[in-house]
Amino acid sequence: MNNQEDLQKRMLIFFGVVAGLMIAYTFFSAYFFKTDTKNQTGNQQQITQTNQQENGNNNQSSNLGQQQSQPQQQVLYTQTGSFNLLLDSRRVKADDLSDTVKVDTQFGYIQFSKVGGRIVSIYVDRYKTDVIGEFSKRNRIFPTEIITTDPNTTALINFSKYQFKQEGNSFIFTLQKGGITVEKRFTLKDAEIYLNITTKGLEKHGVAIINGISLTGTDSPFGHSGAIVKTDKQLIKIDPDIEKEQVIRDNILWAGEENKYFIQMVASKEGFSTTHIIPVAKETTVVLSEIPATMEGFFLGSPKLYFMLKELTEKYQKEWGKDLALQDTVDFGIFGILGKPLFYILHFFYSFTHNWGVAIILLTVLIRIIFFPLNHKSLKAMKKMADLAPEIKKLQKKYKDDPQKLQEEMMKLYAKHGANPMSGCLPIIVQIPVFIALYNVLMVSVELKNAPFILWIDDLSSKDPYYILPILMGLSMVAQQWITPSSDKNQKMIMYIMAAIFTFMFMNFPSGLVLYWLTNNILGLIQSYIINRKLGKGGENKDKK
């Protein structure tokens, strides 16, 4: 390709690069930074793997209880001893989830089971989602369970019925059996659940609490799905496809499981010394943290609302003197330094409009205004190159056998008319990081989940069910190409094909993202029309003055 090719060819390359970047980024995230947990199927198999103990001992299996119709293996692991999750048929038979305490909250409801004194459901009305996933319910394994190094004791604690009483907004579950006393006090306060655990008779055993179990996947390469552990130094994310137990020993502030939109976690005021991430099924893990005989902390099972998490972080910074950095679980991607400000601005617009779709439109307008000088310069350059097309063709014909002379004459022509083939392309390339950053923001923000816009758009985090927005977006790209100056009809045809490719590519994208692109195209059309009017007859001479 020679230097004499005009800017439209460069723009073709640019759009091709953008399309390639979007597709490549999606696959790159999916395969090289694989973080998503696939949805569990309807298979009723309880456990499919057995881990080896860290010290190299032979695999062990528990014979407690009768197995399922298909033989199941136990997940065993060792730290100070073997913590057996008892994932066999006894666990399922011990609790049919009928003897429960249901508590209505401002977000939906929470359900506790009197068997094991554990949280078995956290339903969030706004998102029509239970933060306790299907794997937990099917296998009867739940966060806030107590696991010990003695299988019989673990069975006693989790498969026995607790005494229950309520004191205000505190829900107290007590077990006194076999010389063991366990009291779990859950106190509801806003989003988090204060958790106080007191035990007696477990002094000879290692004791751990289940922080979280893998959440249902979101079928998206964006955002992390899997175990998450916060130490006083870093935030550790572990994918759910691990084959062996992962053990983290550090000053651990909290640990749990997350997906793109939701989180389960337990934080301890005194911290945890050791956390285990245990694979228990295909792309499914259980997170446990070792605790002393008594523990004070809180459990959080909720959507990852950025500002709610930020407020919780500030609250416990004052109360505990620790930076939990809960808001960092919202993954704004590789361009997070740009994505976070964009999210703040988007939230600011929402605070006035109370419609996320309108907020996206206003943010798009703001971005367009900020980049107006760059876009203006690009369109002017394209117009100049289109006006010079006849002269360029004459030079190409005249010096077709002398490439060096052709290049010299082209440079003279550009200098004479103040044209620069690269001046139209580079300003637009600068905007690519902003686009990718906003792309990530719209893909991972739970605020857009089930958020309506207008008419048929009732969930900005999901695709347009009737594909109206993608079609309008494609038509806007065609209109934009039609109005944009060009020196090559063949290139226009290629760009029309590119518009069709983008239309099909965007059909399965969140409607919020398509709305951004459509709005951006419409604003581009308006700007192109203004530039064409300004640089019409005599316009180029006016610009030189």
Side-chain angles (χ1 to χ4, degrees), residues 290-468:
E290 297 188 15
I291 61 172
T294 61
M295 192 203 86
E296 178 184 353
F298 71 87
F299 171 77
L300 180 67
S302 76
K304 295 197 295 188
L305 295 162
Y306 183 85
F307 289 103
M308 180 197 75
L309 297 175
K310 191 170 185 294
E311 288 176 5
L312 281 177
T313 297
E314 293 170 351
K315 172 183 176 181
Y316 286 99
Q317 178 78 52
K318 295 177 181 178
E319 294 184 5
W320 292 359
K322 297 179 179 180
D323 182 12
L324 302 184
L326 292 167
Q327 70 274 16
D328 290 346
T329 60
V330 181
D331 187 0
F332 289 121
I334 58 175
F335 289 109
I337 193 171
L338 296 173
K340 191 175 293 186
L342 290 174
F343 177 79
Y344 270 76
I345 297 170
L346 184 67
H347 198 277
F348 172 77
F349 285 137
Y350 175 78
S351 66
F352 289 98
T353 63
H354 301 291
N355 185 303
W356 287 106
V358 176
I360 290 172
I361 293 173
L362 293 177
L363 178 60
T364 309
V365 172
L366 177 62
I367 293 174
R368 196 78 196 188
I369 291 173
I370 292 173
F371 285 111
F372 179 84
L374 292 176
N375 290 324
H376 189 77
K377 184 177 181 180
S378 172
L379 291 170
K380 284 173 62 179
M382 293 171 69
K383 177 64 177 174
K384 284 185 178 181
M385 292 301 295
D387 291 342
L388 290 177
E391 297 295 329
I392 292 173
K393 289 181 179 179
K394 289 180 182 179
L395 291 175
Q396 290 172 343
K397 185 176 181 180
K398 184 176 181 181
Y399 299 107
K400 63 180 179 179
D401 298 324
D402 190 351
Q404 185 175 355
K405 182 64 174 178
L406 174 61
Q407 184 175 355
E408 292 177 2
E409 293 299 321
M410 292 280 289
M411 293 301 103
K412 291 180 182 179
L413 181 66
Y414 292 152
K416 178 180 178 181
H417 293 274
N420 183 351
M422 295 302 297
S423 64
C425 189
L426 291 177
I428 299 178
I429 292 177
V430 172
Q431 301 176 51
I432 292 179
V434 176
F435 169 76
I436 295 177
L438 182 59
Y439 180 71
N440 274 282
V441 167
L442 297 180
M443 291 294 281
V444 304
S445 296
V446 69
E447 286 83 352
L448 300 184
K449 184 175 175 61
N450 290 344
F453 174 42
I454 56 171
L455 301 176
W456 72 99
I457 302 296
D458 57 4
D459 185 355
L460 287 166
S461 71
S462 298
K463 67 179 183 180
D464 183 336
Y466 304 110
Y467 304 110
I468 295 174

Side-chain angles (χ1 to χ4, degrees), residues 162-319:
Y162 282 55
Q163 296 297 314
F164 167 73
K165 66 177 180 179
Q166 180 177 353
E167 296 178 356
N169 62 340
S170 292
F171 301 85
I172 305 164
F173 296 86
T174 306
L175 175 69
Q176 291 181 323
K177 192 174 182 180
I180 293 173
T181 300
V182 176
E183 180 184 280
K184 296 182 181 180
R185 179 184 291 263
F186 301 93
T187 304
L188 305 189
K189 177 66 174 177
D190 299 325
E192 75 272 32
I193 302 172
Y194 293 153
L195 177 61
N196 294 83
I197 296 176
T198 303
T199 66
K200 292 180 181 179
L202 300 180
E203 292 78 10
K204 295 181 180 180
H205 308 302
V207 182
I209 186 170
I210 294 182
N211 306 75
I213 299 99
S214 286
L215 302 170
T216 302
T218 54
D219 294 326
S220 169
F222 295 90
H224 174 253
S225 288
I228 184 166
V229 179
K230 177 67 174 73
T231 73
D232 58 352
K233 305 178 189 68
Q234 61 183 323
L235 187 65
I236 303 169
K237 298 183 179 183
I238 299 176
D239 293 344
D241 57 354
I242 59 174
E243 296 180 356
K244 294 183 179 180
E245 171 201 2
Q246 304 290 312
V247 180
I248 299 173
R249 298 181 179 90
D250 206 333
N251 183 15
I252 299 168
L253 305 181
W254 57 265
E257 294 271 357
E258 67 170 354
N259 65 13
K260 180 171 72 170
Y261 289 144
F262 299 94
I263 187 170
Q264 292 177 11
M265 53 79 70
V266 174
S268 172
K269 185 176 182 179
E270 301 302 322
F272 305 114
S273 63
T274 306
T275 292
H276 305 259
I277 297 92
I278 315 301
V280 293
K282 184 179 180 181
E283 297 198 5
T284 304
T285 55
V286 174
V287 177
L288 301 96
S289 293
E290 297 188 15
I291 61 172
T294 61
M295 192 203 86
E296 178 184 353
F298 71 87
F299 171 77
L300 180 67
S302 76
K304 295 197 295 188
L305 295 162
Y306 183 85
F307 289 103
M308 180 197 75
L309 297 175
K310 191 170 185 294
E311 288 176 5
L312 281 177
T313 297
E314 293 170 351
K315 172 183 176 181
Y316 286 99
Q317 178 78 52
K318 295 177 181 178
E319 294 184 5

